[in-house]
Amino acid sequence: METRNKNSAAAILEQVAGRAQVSTGTVSRVFNNSSLVPSATRSRVLRAARELGFRPRIGVRNKQIALVTESPDRTVMGGM
């Protein structure tokens, strides 16, 4: 059997899945906010995660966009 770091993503999925009595795939779908998970199952998974002390990391899933531009005096339009 493969040994996992207790803080690895796979280990967290396994711990929560065991506590909630669902598959790791179901836990993953709940964590990724899939609409395919029934609300009762979602509640059970989230409760199990809370009981195990897991907390979401805000911003981990947020997509960010950076806009890189030249300074206005270097643009074709001369900063207009």
Side-chain angles (χ1 to χ4, degrees):
M1 180 171 186
E2 182 180 337
T3 303
R4 299 187 194 272
N5 177 331
K6 71 176 187 166
N7 293 321
S8 73
I12 290 169
L13 290 178
E14 289 173 359
Q15 290 174 44
V16 174
R19 172 70 63 105
Q21 298 181 339
V22 297
S23 71
T24 55
T26 298
V27 175
S28 178
R29 284 187 284 280
V30 169
F31 286 177
N32 286 297
N33 204 26
S34 170
S35 61
L36 301 175
V37 182
S39 62
T41 302
R42 179 180 307 280
S43 295
R44 199 165 75 234
V45 169
L46 294 175
R47 183 174 50 251
R50 278 192 305 274
E51 288 171 358
L52 289 166
F54 295 118
R55 300 285 182 262
R57 290 185 294 168
I58 303 301
V60 170
R61 287 279 178 186
N62 290 346
K63 301 204 184 309
Q64 297 178 352
I65 298 174
L67 180 62
V68 180
T69 63
E70 294 179 340
S71 63
D73 61 326
R74 294 184 50 119
T75 63
V76 175
M77 298 184 71
M80 301 293 235

XYZ file of all heavy atoms in Angstrom:
603
model
N 0.845 -1.190 0.000
C 0.000 0.000 0.000
C 0.882 1.242 0.000
O 1.882 1.328 0.694
C -0.909 -0.008 1.219
C -1.813 1.168 1.305
S -3.019 0.934 2.628
C -4.009 2.339 2.351
N 0.486 2.236 -0.765
C 1.252 3.471 -0.882
C 1.097 4.318 0.377
O 0.006 4.470 0.908
C 0.734 4.248 -2.099
C 1.483 5.525 -2.370
C 0.920 6.244 -3.591
O 0.297 5.591 -4.447
O 1.101 7.457 -3.658
N 2.215 4.858 0.861
C 2.174 5.736 2.028
C 2.054 7.174 1.544
O 2.806 7.608 0.688
C 3.464 5.579 2.856
O 3.599 4.217 3.217
C 3.416 6.443 4.093
N 1.125 7.896 2.096
C 0.912 9.292 1.691
C 1.246 10.227 2.840
O 1.019 9.909 3.992
C -0.538 9.513 1.282
C -0.967 8.675 0.111
C -2.354 9.097 -0.329
N -2.957 8.153 -1.219
C -2.821 8.147 -2.533
N -2.051 9.040 -3.117
N -3.429 7.254 -3.271
N 1.772 11.377 2.482
C 1.996 12.438 3.459
C 0.629 12.834 3.999
O -0.299 13.082 3.238
C 2.674 13.629 2.759
C 2.882 14.812 3.658
O 2.121 15.032 4.595
N 3.889 15.582 3.374
N 0.485 12.908 5.319
C -0.844 13.175 5.899
C -1.416 14.519 5.490
O -2.611 14.744 5.620
C -0.803 13.063 7.420
C -0.056 14.170 8.115
C -0.164 14.028 9.615
C 0.456 15.234 10.282
N 0.123 15.329 11.665
N -0.589 15.420 4.956
C -1.085 16.721 4.519
C -1.214 16.825 3.002
O -1.558 17.875 2.488
C -0.165 17.831 5.027
C -0.223 17.956 6.535
O -1.277 17.826 7.126
N 0.909 18.165 7.149
N -0.927 15.730 2.278
C -1.047 15.784 0.826
C -2.523 15.860 0.446
O -3.407 15.460 1.208
C -0.401 14.564 0.178
O -1.200 13.412 0.398
N -2.775 16.352 -0.748
C -4.161 16.475 -1.207
C -4.841 15.115 -1.228
O -6.006 14.990 -0.817
C -4.189 17.116 -2.590
N -4.138 14.081 -1.682
C -4.728 12.739 -1.735
C -5.061 12.234 -0.335
O -6.118 11.625 -0.124
C -3.779 11.775 -2.443
N -4.179 12.488 0.624
C -4.426 12.043 1.994
C -5.622 12.764 2.601
O -6.430 12.160 3.312
C -3.185 12.256 2.857
N -5.761 14.042 2.301
C -6.902 14.808 2.803
C -8.195 14.255 2.211
O -9.171 14.041 2.923
C -6.734 16.310 2.486
C -5.605 16.886 3.342
C -8.041 17.068 2.705
C -5.175 18.273 2.951
N -8.193 13.993 0.899
C -9.383 13.425 0.266
C -9.748 12.090 0.911
O -10.925 11.819 1.179
C -9.156 13.232 -1.232
C -9.075 14.484 -2.094
C -8.802 14.103 -3.546
C -10.322 15.324 -1.985
N -8.741 11.261 1.164
C -8.993 9.952 1.769
C -9.553 10.074 3.180
O -10.478 9.348 3.556
C -7.702 9.132 1.794
C -7.276 8.668 0.421
C -5.909 8.012 0.424
O -5.261 7.915 1.499
O -5.485 7.596 -0.657
N -9.013 10.999 3.964
C -9.489 11.175 5.337
C -10.942 11.649 5.361
O -11.765 11.134 6.122
C -8.603 12.177 6.075
C -7.214 11.665 6.366
C -6.351 12.755 6.969
O -6.792 13.494 7.843
N -5.120 12.880 6.497
N -11.230 12.647 4.543
C -12.595 13.187 4.504
C -13.553 12.136 3.953
O -14.652 11.952 4.485
C -12.654 14.494 3.683
C -14.089 14.976 3.513
C -11.809 15.582 4.342
N -13.146 11.433 2.915
C -13.997 10.396 2.323
C -14.316 9.315 3.348
O -15.468 8.871 3.454
C -13.307 9.791 1.102
N -13.317 8.895 4.100
C -13.546 7.877 5.124
C -14.517 8.344 6.183
O -15.430 7.613 6.584
N -14.348 9.576 6.633
C -15.226 10.119 7.668
C -16.651 10.287 7.152
O -17.617 10.015 7.860
C -14.650 11.462 8.144
C -15.502 12.298 9.083
C -15.676 11.749 10.485
N -14.472 11.634 11.260
C -14.119 12.426 12.249
N -14.880 13.436 12.588
N -13.024 12.201 12.923
N -16.796 10.736 5.896
C -18.130 10.982 5.327
C -18.740 9.735 4.689
O -19.893 9.769 4.264
C -18.042 12.095 4.280
N -17.968 8.671 4.609
C -18.408 7.412 4.002
C -18.831 7.596 2.541
O -19.909 7.167 2.119
C -19.516 6.768 4.827
C -19.057 6.400 6.221
C -20.135 5.743 7.047
O -21.319 5.871 6.767
N -19.718 5.019 8.070
N -17.958 8.287 1.794
C -18.149 8.479 0.354
C -16.809 8.200 -0.336
O -15.800 7.992 0.328
C -18.620 9.917 0.020
C -19.979 10.214 0.647
C -17.599 10.957 0.465
N -16.796 8.241 -1.642
C -15.555 8.030 -2.382
C -14.716 9.310 -2.397
O -15.232 10.412 -2.157
C -15.863 7.615 -3.821
O -16.395 8.713 -4.541
N -13.434 9.146 -2.701
C -12.572 10.333 -2.821
C -13.022 11.195 -4.000
O -12.879 12.414 -3.967
C -11.092 9.940 -2.995
O -10.955 9.061 -4.111
C -10.546 9.287 -1.742
N -13.597 10.569 -5.024
C -14.126 11.333 -6.157
C -15.254 12.247 -5.740
O -15.348 13.391 -6.197
N -16.112 11.752 -4.853
C -17.215 12.581 -4.354
C -16.675 13.756 -3.548
O -17.134 14.887 -3.701
C -18.185 11.739 -3.503
O -18.751 10.724 -4.332
C -19.295 12.594 -2.903
N -15.672 13.496 -2.715
C -15.066 14.581 -1.941
C -14.466 15.611 -2.878
O -14.656 16.822 -2.700
C -13.994 14.042 -0.964
C -13.281 15.189 -0.265
C -14.615 13.097 0.040
N -13.777 15.162 -3.898
C -13.189 16.076 -4.869
C -14.260 16.921 -5.547
O -14.104 18.135 -5.700
C -12.406 15.285 -5.925
O -11.869 16.145 -6.891
N -15.370 16.278 -5.933
C -16.448 17.038 -6.569
C -17.044 18.071 -5.621
O -17.360 19.191 -6.030
C -17.530 16.085 -7.090
C -17.115 15.371 -8.381
C -18.254 14.570 -8.984
N -18.493 13.323 -8.275
C -17.779 12.214 -8.428
N -16.759 12.201 -9.251
N -18.080 11.129 -7.749
N -17.177 17.726 -4.342
C -17.691 18.695 -3.359
C -16.709 19.857 -3.232
O -17.100 21.026 -3.276
C -17.930 18.032 -1.985
C -18.198 19.080 -0.909
C -19.090 17.053 -2.072
N -15.419 19.537 -3.096
C -14.410 20.593 -2.934
C -14.327 21.491 -4.166
O -13.944 22.649 -4.069
C -13.048 19.986 -2.652
C -12.884 19.435 -1.246
C -11.710 18.803 -0.888
C -13.877 19.541 -0.294
C -11.532 18.298 0.392
C -13.722 19.041 0.985
C -12.537 18.417 1.335
N -14.677 20.948 -5.328
C -14.647 21.733 -6.562
C -16.010 22.307 -6.914
O -16.218 22.812 -8.014
C -14.108 20.880 -7.717
C -12.629 20.679 -7.597
O -11.862 21.635 -7.661
N -12.202 19.447 -7.395
N -16.944 22.216 -5.963
C -18.269 22.828 -6.078
C -19.067 22.318 -7.280
O -19.738 23.088 -7.954
C -18.144 24.355 -6.111
C -19.410 25.013 -5.643
O -20.172 24.432 -4.883
N -19.644 26.231 -6.106
N -18.994 21.009 -7.540
C -19.740 20.412 -8.638
C -21.229 20.363 -8.302
O -21.619 20.059 -7.180
C -19.228 18.993 -8.903
O -20.077 18.322 -9.808
N -22.037 20.613 -9.302
C -23.489 20.550 -9.115
C -23.998 19.112 -9.168
O -25.188 18.868 -8.975
C -24.187 21.384 -10.188
O -23.886 20.856 -11.472
N -23.120 18.147 -9.418
C -23.515 16.746 -9.534
C -23.696 16.054 -8.187
O -24.152 14.917 -8.137
C -22.465 15.977 -10.346
C -22.222 16.480 -11.772
C -21.082 15.717 -12.414
C -23.498 16.356 -12.590
N -23.341 16.731 -7.091
C -23.399 16.115 -5.764
C -24.701 16.523 -5.069
O -24.981 17.715 -4.932
C -22.184 16.554 -4.905
C -22.219 15.887 -3.546
C -20.884 16.244 -5.620
N -25.484 15.537 -4.623
C -26.722 15.868 -3.893
C -26.414 16.696 -2.639
O -25.366 16.527 -2.011
C -27.289 14.502 -3.512
C -26.656 13.530 -4.462
C -25.304 14.093 -4.776
N -27.326 17.557 -2.267
C -27.081 18.472 -1.151
C -26.826 17.734 0.165
O -25.999 18.181 0.972
C -28.221 19.478 -0.998
O -29.427 18.807 -0.721
N -27.504 16.618 0.404
C -27.281 15.871 1.647
C -25.857 15.314 1.693
O -25.191 15.351 2.737
C -28.288 14.737 1.774
N -25.366 14.834 0.554
C -24.000 14.305 0.486
C -22.996 15.443 0.657
O -22.005 15.313 1.372
C -23.769 13.581 -0.858
O -24.734 12.543 -0.985
C -22.373 13.012 -0.944
N -23.259 16.573 -0.002
C -22.381 17.739 0.120
C -22.267 18.160 1.590
O -21.179 18.387 2.096
C -22.926 18.902 -0.711
C -22.098 20.180 -0.635
C -22.697 21.295 -1.488
N -22.940 20.878 -2.850
C -22.007 20.802 -3.794
N -20.779 21.123 -3.527
N -22.316 20.399 -5.018
N -23.386 18.210 2.282
C -23.378 18.593 3.699
C -22.571 17.610 4.535
O -21.816 18.006 5.417
C -24.805 18.662 4.233
O -25.517 19.683 3.599
N -22.728 16.316 4.248
C -22.000 15.287 4.991
C -20.494 15.424 4.772
O -19.706 15.333 5.707
C -22.486 13.901 4.555
C -22.149 12.829 5.535
C -22.930 11.554 5.303
N -22.441 10.826 4.152
C -23.187 10.418 3.118
N -24.473 10.682 3.104
N -22.660 9.741 2.138
N -20.081 15.682 3.539
C -18.653 15.840 3.227
C -18.097 17.086 3.898
O -17.017 17.054 4.515
C -18.429 15.880 1.703
C -17.015 16.314 1.358
C -18.739 14.519 1.083
N -18.805 18.187 3.807
C -18.322 19.435 4.420
C -18.270 19.319 5.941
O -17.344 19.833 6.576
C -19.202 20.606 3.980
C -19.117 20.944 2.487
C -20.114 22.038 2.129
C -17.699 21.323 2.084
N -19.245 18.628 6.527
C -19.232 18.410 7.975
C -18.014 17.564 8.360
O -17.318 17.864 9.326
C -20.531 17.743 8.433
C -20.601 17.550 9.948
C -21.952 17.021 10.437
N -22.414 15.846 9.720
C -23.440 15.834 8.852
N -24.110 16.936 8.607
N -23.786 14.718 8.245
N -17.741 16.523 7.591
C -16.573 15.665 7.862
C -15.280 16.469 7.765
O -14.381 16.334 8.606
C -16.545 14.493 6.884
N -15.182 17.324 6.768
C -13.980 18.152 6.608
C -13.805 19.077 7.806
O -12.693 19.232 8.328
C -14.068 18.950 5.307
N -14.902 19.685 8.259
C -14.834 20.570 9.439
C -14.421 19.787 10.675
O -13.593 20.238 11.462
C -16.179 21.251 9.676
C -16.419 22.471 8.839
C -17.634 23.266 9.322
N -18.843 22.467 9.401
C -19.682 22.240 8.388
N -19.442 22.755 7.211
N -20.763 21.498 8.556
N -15.014 18.602 10.860
C -14.688 17.783 12.033
C -13.212 17.381 12.049
O -12.621 17.239 13.113
C -15.569 16.531 12.046
C -17.015 16.816 12.381
C -17.929 15.608 12.180
O -17.443 14.538 11.727
O -19.132 15.736 12.464
N -12.638 17.214 10.871
C -11.223 16.850 10.771
C -10.306 18.072 10.844
O -9.093 17.940 10.837
C -10.971 16.078 9.471
C -11.559 14.669 9.451
C -11.564 14.114 8.032
C -10.792 13.758 10.393
N -10.906 19.253 10.912
C -10.128 20.477 11.062
C -9.622 21.081 9.772
O -8.763 21.957 9.790
N -10.161 20.640 8.642
C -9.726 21.213 7.374
C -10.497 22.489 7.103
O -11.697 22.573 7.319
C -9.926 20.217 6.233
C -9.067 18.992 6.378
C -9.637 17.749 6.511
C -7.691 19.106 6.404
C -8.852 16.622 6.653
C -6.896 17.987 6.553
C -7.475 16.740 6.676
N -9.794 23.476 6.614
C -10.393 24.767 6.275
C -9.995 25.122 4.846
O -8.868 24.857 4.439
C -9.878 25.878 7.200
C -10.172 25.643 8.669
C -11.643 25.911 8.973
N -11.934 25.741 10.383
C -12.452 24.633 10.905
N -12.700 23.607 10.159
N -12.708 24.563 12.186
N -10.896 25.727 4.085
C -10.536 26.103 2.708
C -9.487 27.211 2.708
O -9.458 28.052 3.596
C -11.854 26.602 2.118
C -12.668 27.002 3.292
C -12.248 26.118 4.435
N -8.619 27.155 1.728
C -7.653 28.230 1.538
C -8.253 29.200 0.538
O -8.418 28.884 -0.631
C -6.323 27.680 1.020
C -5.600 26.868 2.078
C -4.257 26.430 1.620
N -4.407 25.479 0.513
C -3.417 25.082 -0.258
N -2.204 25.540 -0.073
N -3.624 24.212 -1.231
N -8.598 30.367 1.019
C -9.241 31.372 0.185
C -8.297 31.761 -0.957
O -7.136 32.018 -0.751
C -9.609 32.627 1.010
C -10.499 32.243 2.184
C -10.262 33.685 0.136
C -11.791 31.573 1.812
N -8.843 31.815 -2.136
C -8.068 32.263 -3.285
C -7.334 31.173 -4.027
O -6.787 31.428 -5.090
N -7.326 29.960 -3.512
C -6.598 28.896 -4.195
C -7.204 28.639 -5.565
O -6.501 28.425 -6.530
C -6.591 27.604 -3.357
C -6.062 26.437 -4.149
C -5.768 27.810 -2.101
N -8.486 28.668 -5.658
C -9.152 28.378 -6.923
C -9.474 29.630 -7.742
O -9.984 29.529 -8.837
C -10.452 27.624 -6.662
C -10.224 26.221 -6.238
C -9.966 25.396 -7.441
N -9.690 24.032 -7.080
C -9.317 23.137 -7.948
N -9.178 23.444 -9.192
N -9.077 21.922 -7.560
N -9.226 30.807 -7.195
C -9.534 32.025 -7.933
C -8.596 32.167 -9.117
O -7.395 32.003 -8.989
C -9.405 33.261 -7.046
C -10.491 33.313 -6.008
O -11.470 32.603 -6.088
N -10.316 34.167 -5.021
N -9.156 32.469 -10.246
C -8.339 32.707 -11.419
C -7.970 34.189 -11.440
O -8.785 35.048 -11.189
C -9.098 32.325 -12.674
C -9.518 30.874 -12.671
C -9.721 30.370 -14.051
C -10.234 28.966 -14.113
N -9.576 27.972 -13.376
N -6.726 34.462 -11.740
C -6.261 35.838 -11.771
C -5.737 36.162 -13.150
O -5.157 35.307 -13.821
C -5.171 36.063 -10.734
C -5.653 35.850 -9.323
C -4.542 36.033 -8.303
O -3.386 36.168 -8.647
N -4.904 36.024 -7.042
N -5.940 37.389 -13.560
C -5.461 37.850 -14.854
C -4.561 39.047 -14.613
O -4.894 39.952 -13.864
C -6.631 38.266 -15.760
C -7.539 37.073 -16.037
C -6.115 38.868 -17.054
C -8.795 37.421 -16.793
N -3.421 39.037 -15.267
C -2.516 40.179 -15.181
C -2.477 40.846 -16.551
O -2.421 40.180 -17.578
C -1.122 39.725 -14.778
N -2.507 42.145 -16.566
C -2.414 42.907 -17.801
C -1.082 43.623 -17.791
O -0.810 44.441 -16.903
C -3.566 43.909 -17.895
C -3.603 44.790 -19.129
C -3.753 43.930 -20.383
C -4.749 45.774 -19.036
N -0.256 43.307 -18.749
C 1.067 43.917 -18.836
C 1.060 44.865 -20.019
O 0.744 44.474 -21.137
C 2.165 42.839 -19.014
C 3.535 43.478 -19.114
C 2.099 41.833 -17.883
N 1.407 46.101 -19.766
C 1.430 47.094 -20.841
C 2.726 47.870 -20.792
O 3.452 47.844 -19.806
C 0.270 48.092 -20.703
O 0.437 48.810 -19.490
C -1.073 47.388 -20.697
N 2.997 48.568 -21.862
C 4.143 49.474 -21.873
C 3.704 50.787 -21.235
O 2.522 51.080 -21.136
C 4.592 49.723 -23.309
C 5.139 48.486 -23.991
C 5.552 48.777 -25.421
O 5.088 49.775 -25.999
O 6.333 47.988 -25.954
N 4.676 51.574 -20.834
C 4.328 52.872 -20.271
C 3.684 53.727 -21.364
O 3.964 53.539 -22.550
C 5.569 53.564 -19.707
O 6.488 53.824 -20.747
N 2.794 54.659 -21.022
C 2.046 55.435 -22.010
C 2.920 56.168 -23.020
O 2.542 56.309 -24.172
C 1.254 56.438 -21.164
C 1.141 55.785 -19.838
C 2.380 54.975 -19.671
N 4.087 56.629 -22.621
C 4.926 57.372 -23.564
C 5.573 56.462 -24.607
O 6.138 56.944 -25.582
C 5.992 58.171 -22.813
C 6.936 57.277 -22.013
O 6.478 56.235 -21.507
O 8.111 57.633 -21.899
N 5.469 55.153 -24.440
C 6.084 54.231 -25.400
C 5.049 53.591 -26.324
O 5.397 52.815 -27.205
C 6.834 53.139 -24.657
C 8.025 53.676 -23.890
C 8.750 52.546 -23.265
N 9.014 51.513 -24.263
C 10.202 51.090 -24.631
N 11.262 51.593 -24.073
N 10.345 50.152 -25.540
N 3.776 53.862 -26.152
C 2.758 53.232 -26.984
C 2.681 53.917 -28.331
O 3.118 55.052 -28.516
C 1.366 53.294 -26.322
O 0.984 54.642 -26.187
C 1.368 52.588 -24.977
N 2.074 53.233 -29.272
C 1.922 53.746 -30.628
C 1.124 55.052 -30.629
O 1.420 55.968 -31.378
C 1.221 52.686 -31.512
C 0.949 53.240 -32.909
C 2.052 51.431 -31.609
N 0.150 55.133 -29.723
C -0.702 56.313 -29.685
C -0.147 57.395 -28.781
O -0.791 58.397 -28.533
C -2.115 55.914 -29.270
C -2.743 54.955 -30.261
S -4.438 54.562 -29.870
C -5.234 56.113 -30.262
N 1.035 57.221 -28.232
C 1.658 58.261 -27.423
C 0.933 58.555 -26.133
O 0.941 59.678 -25.662
N 0.293 57.545 -25.550
C -0.371 57.748 -24.272
C -1.795 58.229 -24.395
O -2.430 58.551 -23.412
N -2.312 58.319 -25.564
C -3.695 58.751 -25.752
C -4.646 57.652 -25.455
O -4.544 56.580 -25.766
C -3.932 59.231 -27.184
C -3.040 60.376 -27.552
S -3.505 61.750 -26.610
C -3.822 63.028 -27.617
